[in-house]
Amino acid sequence: MGVKIILGHGSGGRMTRELVRDVFCRHLGDVGPESLDDGAVLDCGAGFLACSRAEGQTGKSAPQLVFTTDSYVVSPLEFPGGDIGTLAVCGTVNDLAVMGARPLWLSLGVILEAGLEIQTLERIVKSIAEKAREAGVKIVCGDTKVVEKGKGDGIFINTAGIGVLEKPMRPETIKPGDKIIVSGTVGDHGMALLTLRKGFPLKSNLKSDCAPLNEMILQVLGKVDVKWMRDPTRGGLATALNELTEGQPWGVLLEEDGIPLSEAVCGVSELLGLDPLYSANEGKAIFVVPAGSAENTLKILKKTSCGQNSAVIGTVSGDFPGKTVLHTQMGTLRTLGILASDPLPRIC
Amino acid sequence: MGVKIILGHGSGGRMTRELVRDVFCRHLGDVGPESLDDGAVLDCGAGFLACSRAEGQTGKSAPQLVFTTDSYVVSPLEFPGGDIGTLAVCGTVNDLAVMGARPLWLSLGVILEAGLEIQTLERIVKSIAEKAREAGVKIVCGDTKVVEKGKGDGIFINTAGIGVLEKPMRPETIKPGDKIIVSGTVGDHGMALLTLRKGFPLKSNLKSDCAPLNEMILQVLGKVDVKWMRDPTRGGLATALNELTEGQPWGVLLEEDGIPLSEAVCGVSELLGLDPLYSANEGKAIFVVPAGSAENTLKILKKTSCGQNSAVIGTVSGDFPGKTVLHTQMGTLRTLGILASDPLPRIC
């Protein structure tokens, strides 16, 4: 018997990265990407010059596309603040947006389990339409498959997205002194799902933060020289920042008392002993900006509906190379490692 | 209790079309496509003019992209002639190719069931790499999710694909007298899967025809004024031609004795009483060309590795408006309707 897939391979943390590296990237080789976790910037100039008969195109003037994909397997299908359809639009729109792209088009592939109520499917499709309208994107192509009862789980959705690159991220320009900003309270989506799944009575204000962030992000990009963005989904804020700092000559120092947390998330976290910094978000972005731009970034964010609770939460620091470190409210320093395996599978 | 999803909704035939129309297209409305079954032609000119800061672009000179998506849920995962990875590349490459596009980039979203052997996954990823290399496309982005044992079936794959439109199809120019050409024997994929699933001893030469067709198709497009193409997958040749003829003032008259069938497919079809014209293909294309180009098209096809058994199988006819009719070897005329529900679910 060989080694088998376990739930931890889907955590979005270390095991996922190892699987992607050791199985996908290794075997795909020259026809694969550097990493399977992120979107790709496609140089249409090169593609079109080599492949199309269109005339008058030059590599220099041709715009760049960003292409990304995500499958959604969240359980349960519907939860406070959204459903799997909401997630499938927001997740892919946000993946494009944090790469500096303007999302334009989505594909929609669904795998239905026999026995799913058509009414449930209709509610989910309505959520897809609502969020697509909110984000200003079109669902341009789709595919429907059905599997036997017991071979799926209601509905799985894949959305791939295409956007036009507006402003490429430049993580190579990050240096000590740059500021880390988050666009609102952290951990809401993960804690809402956890509470629902464990059967705790739901506090009325504990719900997923699922939202399309492209308009908010484009407003910031228009005025601030953003160096890096990320939507901290699976694995939360801590895992996203670990991906940023790993292997760098600098690190990130977070101030615990600056990190926005809703009262509800605070309460559930303490009750269950779970860390909201590792809990998934579906409507938050992290920004790295020059120190001198932090105030302006906050000002822009706070005027948007999704960014009202945004805050500066830390600083890029030369003192902790390669690490994400939390300056706790008790005054100690705690290194935040990458999530190894999610305590809560199928969160998105 | 409401109406529920059943396996027939995934057949690719009438029930799939009704589900797509009544649930997806209806609720997506203004943010959705006309049809969820096909790829979309994206007018980059319009998109870029409206959305990007690139200069020097005009709607006229900007190339058009084609975007498509397919999920693959085939069971079993591995079969004579390929595996789910082979299918996931060929299926999406072929969807782009029959729209007149040159496939360039694929995304790769996988949903793994806990318990899947990593070795099985590795074989599948190797197939993906092999077929991507053969088709000349790159896997540029990806995503990995894991579901609990009993909530999936080994592995489901979604590939979305982007291509550059080389030559748009023009079904509106089709007229009586045009010829119908198929690029080889029909029904191989479906019959191979059926035989495997039903546990019949496999004849050595009964295997899936799974192959990327983009090079073959581009050779034809370079020299022939092709009016319409389609890869007859789920629902087979008869369903694909029904989609073409439905609502048209003309129909298609197929000559049964002209349709290429392998000996193995013939034998199994007779044994099981199943019609190979409704059996899935994964490495075949149908072409509609002007009568005067038929001979040249065949000549080009027969020089390619995938098109050696290509044949003229019928004619567009004014006598059967909206219908696909088979002139049988016994001399009778038989109307081929659209597949209602597949006798063999999860064929791709």
Side-chain angles (χ1 to χ4, degrees):
Chain A
M1 296 288 277
V3 183
K4 293 183 176 182
I5 292 292
I6 61 171
L7 284 170
H9 286 118
S11 67
R14 188 176 305 282
M15 288 190 68
T16 305
R17 290 171 64 187
E18 286 170 359
L19 181 72
V20 166
R21 184 192 62 205
D22 297 345
V23 176
F24 288 95
C25 292
R26 181 160 72 92
H27 291 301
L28 289 177
D30 58 309
V31 292
E34 292 289 303
S35 151
L36 272 177
D37 277 330
D38 296 311
V41 176
L42 306 175
D43 192 339
C44 288
F48 293 148
L49 279 176
C51 305
S52 114
R53 297 187 189 116
E55 283 171 30
Q57 297 280 325
T58 73
K60 209 171 175 187
S61 73
Q64 287 185 301
L65 295 181
V66 178
F67 187 25
T68 187
T69 186
D70 253 317
S71 298
Y72 300 86
V73 298
V74 69
S75 171
L77 296 176
E78 300 175 292
F79 46 82
D83 60 32
I84 190 170
T86 325
L87 271 185
V89 174
C90 298
T92 297
V93 160
N94 293 346
D95 277 350
L96 291 172
V98 297
M99 289 191 71
R102 182 185 294 271
L104 293 176
W105 300 295
L106 299 190
S107 65
L108 176 64
V110 299
I111 298 172
L112 307 173
E113 182 194 18
L116 176 70
E117 299 270 351
I118 300 259
Q119 284 186 350
T120 308
L121 179 61
E122 292 195 287
R123 287 196 301 275
I124 290 167
V125 176
K126 282 180 191 169
S127 295
I128 291 172
E130 184 190 319
K131 289 296 163 189
R133 214 167 280 127
E134 195 179 326
V137 297
K138 293 251 181 195
I139 315 290
V140 292
C141 55
D143 176 60
T144 306
K145 292 291 190 306
V146 181
V147 297
E148 301 89 340
K149 204 167 165 58
K151 300 291 186 183
D153 199 10
I155 175 169
F156 299 143
I157 300 182
N158 176 285
T159 45
I162 300 178
V164 178
L165 190 63
E166 290 282 325
K167 204 164 174 181
M169 294 298 96
R170 296 174 302 119
E172 69 281 3
T173 66
I174 295 175
K175 60 176 199 286
D178 289 344
K179 292 295 174 186
I180 316 290
I181 290 173
V182 71
S183 64
T185 57
V186 305
D188 297 70
H189 179 75
M191 290 296 173
L193 265 283
L194 183 72
T195 311
L196 185 61
R197 290 235 288 259
K198 299 287 182 192
F200 298 121
L202 262 181
K203 306 199 176 188
S204 65
N205 50 351
L206 188 57
K207 61 174 191 176
S208 169
D209 56 337
C210 200
L213 300 173
N214 50 325
E215 280 312 316
M216 178 187 83
I217 285 174
L218 283 172
Q219 285 189 36
V220 175
L221 289 185
K223 293 180 180 162
V224 177
D225 182 26
V226 177
K227 297 184 171 186
W228 186 81
M229 293 183 285
R230 183 62 58 93
D231 53 331
T233 55
R234 280 186 295 182
L237 182 71
T239 300
L241 287 174
N242 262 280
E243 285 170 12
L244 172 66
T245 54
E246 197 179 29
Q248 299 292 350
W250 40 259
V252 161
L253 181 63
L254 294 178
E255 294 296 334
E256 189 173 26
D257 60 10
I259 299 174
L261 283 179
S262 76
E263 236 177 273
V265 165
C266 248
V268 172
S269 305
E270 278 174 20
L271 193 70
L272 303 176
L274 287 172
D275 192 338
L277 303 185
Y278 286 92
S279 173
N281 309 274
E282 292 291 343
K284 298 293 150 40
I286 312 170
F287 299 84
V288 178
V289 300
S293 305
E295 205 172 317
N296 193 28
T297 307
L298 272 191
K299 213 170 107 186
I300 298 165
L301 285 172
K302 281 176 180 290
K303 281 187 191 154
T304 66
S305 59
C306 294
Q308 290 175 30
N309 295 311
S310 55
V312 176
I313 58 170
T315 308
V316 175
S317 162
D319 297 338
F320 312 99
K323 289 193 172 169
T324 300
V325 175
L326 184 72
H327 183 222
T328 68
Q329 287 171 329
M330 298 183 297
T332 60
L333 293 177
R334 178 185 147 212
T335 298
L336 301 174
I338 189 174
L339 184 72
S341 176
D342 202 322
L344 189 67
R346 297 182 57 193
I347 200 143
C348 62
Chain B
M1 295 286 279
V3 184
K4 294 183 175 184
I5 292 292
I6 62 171
L7 284 170
H9 286 119
S11 66
R14 189 175 304 282
M15 290 190 67
T16 305
R17 290 172 63 187
E18 286 170 0
L19 182 74
V20 166
R21 184 191 62 204
D22 298 344
V23 176
F24 288 95
C25 291
R26 181 160 72 93
H27 292 301
L28 289 177
D30 59 308
V31 293
E34 292 289 303
S35 151
L36 272 176
D37 277 330
D38 296 311
V41 176
L42 307 175
D43 192 341
C44 287
F48 292 149
L49 279 176
C51 305
S52 114
R53 297 190 190 112
E55 283 169 32
Q57 297 280 324
T58 74
K60 210 171 172 188
S61 74
Q64 288 184 300
L65 296 181
V66 178
F67 187 26
T68 188
T69 186
D70 253 317
S71 297
Y72 299 87
V73 298
V74 68
S75 172
L77 297 175
E78 301 175 292
F79 46 81
D83 60 33
I84 190 170
T86 324
L87 271 185
V89 174
C90 298
T92 296
V93 161
N94 293 347
D95 277 350
L96 291 172
V98 296
M99 290 191 70
R102 181 186 294 272
L104 293 176
W105 301 295
L106 300 189
S107 65
L108 177 64
V110 300
I111 299 172
L112 307 173
E113 181 194 18
L116 176 71
E117 300 269 351
I118 302 259
Q119 285 185 349
T120 307
L121 179 61
E122 292 195 288
R123 285 196 301 275
I124 291 166
V125 176
K126 283 181 192 170
S127 294
I128 291 172
E130 184 189 319
K131 289 297 163 188
R133 214 167 280 125
E134 195 178 325
V137 297
K138 292 251 182 196
I139 313 290
V140 292
C141 55
D143 175 60
T144 306
K145 294 289 189 308
V146 181
V147 296
E148 302 89 340
K149 204 166 165 61
K151 301 290 185 182
D153 199 11
I155 176 170
F156 299 144
I157 300 182
N158 177 285
T159 45
I162 300 177
V164 178
L165 189 63
E166 289 282 325
K167 204 163 173 181
M169 293 298 95
R170 297 174 301 119
E172 68 282 3
T173 66
I174 295 176
K175 60 176 199 286
D178 288 344
K179 292 295 176 186
I180 316 290
I181 291 173
V182 71
S183 64
T185 57
V186 305
D188 298 71
H189 179 75
M191 290 297 173
L193 265 283
L194 183 73
T195 312
L196 185 61
R197 290 236 287 260
K198 299 289 182 192
F200 298 121
L202 262 181
K203 306 197 178 189
S204 65
N205 50 351
L206 188 56
K207 61 175 191 175
S208 169
D209 57 337
C210 200
L213 301 173
N214 51 325
E215 279 313 316
M216 177 187 84
I217 286 174
L218 283 171
Q219 285 190 37
V220 175
L221 288 184
K223 292 180 181 161
V224 177
D225 182 26
V226 177
K227 297 184 169 186
W228 186 82
M229 294 183 285
R230 183 61 57 93
D231 53 332
T233 56
R234 280 185 295 181
L237 182 71
T239 300
L241 287 175
N242 262 278
E243 285 170 13
L244 172 66
T245 55
E246 197 179 28
Q248 299 293 349
W250 40 258
V252 161
L253 180 63
L254 295 178
E255 294 295 331
E256 190 173 25
D257 60 9
I259 300 173
L261 283 179
S262 76
E263 233 177 276
V265 165
C266 249
V268 172
S269 305
E270 279 173 21
L271 193 70
L272 303 175
L274 287 172
D275 192 339
L277 303 186
Y278 286 91
S279 174
N281 308 275
E282 292 291 344
K284 298 293 149 43
I286 311 171
F287 300 83
V288 178
V289 300
S293 304
E295 205 173 317
N296 193 27
T297 307
L298 273 191
K299 212 171 108 186
I300 298 165
L301 284 172
K302 283 177 179 288
K303 279 188 192 155
T304 66
S305 59
C306 294
Q308 290 176 31
N309 296 310
S310 55
V312 177
I313 59 170
T315 308
V316 175
S317 162
D319 298 338
F320 312 100
K323 290 193 171 170
T324 300
V325 175
L326 184 72
H327 182 221
T328 68
Q329 287 172 329
M330 296 182 298
T332 61
L333 293 178
R334 177 183 148 214
T335 298
L336 301 174
I338 189 175
L339 184 73
S341 175
D342 201 326
L344 189 67
R346 298 182 58 194
I347 201 142
C348 62

